[in-house]
Amino acid sequence: MRIKWAVGGLLAMLLVSVAAYAELTDEIQVYTDDINTPREMGLEVHFNTTPQGRYRQAYVGEVTPHHGVRLTPEFSYGLNDHWELGAYLPMVRDDAGNYYLA
């Protein structure tokens, strides 16, 4: 199970580092040990918003959380009983209505 998380984490970092267009604050995601059966596709959607928050940038390029909306579809595909592939598509809308792919 630890290998799955390590490989998944490395793949996620690689995907984010290659396609990073915006700096986003972290969000908390809670996972269980569920896994797709072989050849089963899955989709989880992570959604959160900050009704009131910090609106000044801490660094250039940061998307501040004030009135922000974050949406992250997580696609998965079961390879076998112990492994699955996953891909995240993190997106954000800032308080001015601009959309970013992070």
Side-chain angles (χ1 to χ4, degrees), residues 22-92:
E23 297 284 337
L24 301 178
T25 55
D26 291 333
E27 68 175 276
I28 298 172
Q29 296 179 2
V30 179
Y31 293 94
T32 62
D33 63 350
D34 297 342
I35 189 168
N36 294 342
T37 59
R39 295 177 300 283
E40 177 186 35
M41 295 190 76
L43 172 64
E44 281 191 34
V45 178
H46 306 273
F47 175 84
N48 65 37
T49 185
T50 308
Q52 181 178 355
R54 187 175 46 81
Y55 57 89
R56 290 190 182 176
Q57 290 182 333
Y59 51 89
V60 176
E62 178 189 22
V63 177
T64 59
H66 184 71
H67 291 176
V69 175
R70 290 161 200 80
L71 174 68
T72 305
E74 176 188 348
F75 302 94
S76 58
Y77 179 77
L79 296 175
N80 59 36
D81 290 333
H82 305 287
W83 288 86
E84 69 181 13
L85 291 176
Y88 288 80
L89 189 60
M91 297 172 274
V92 68

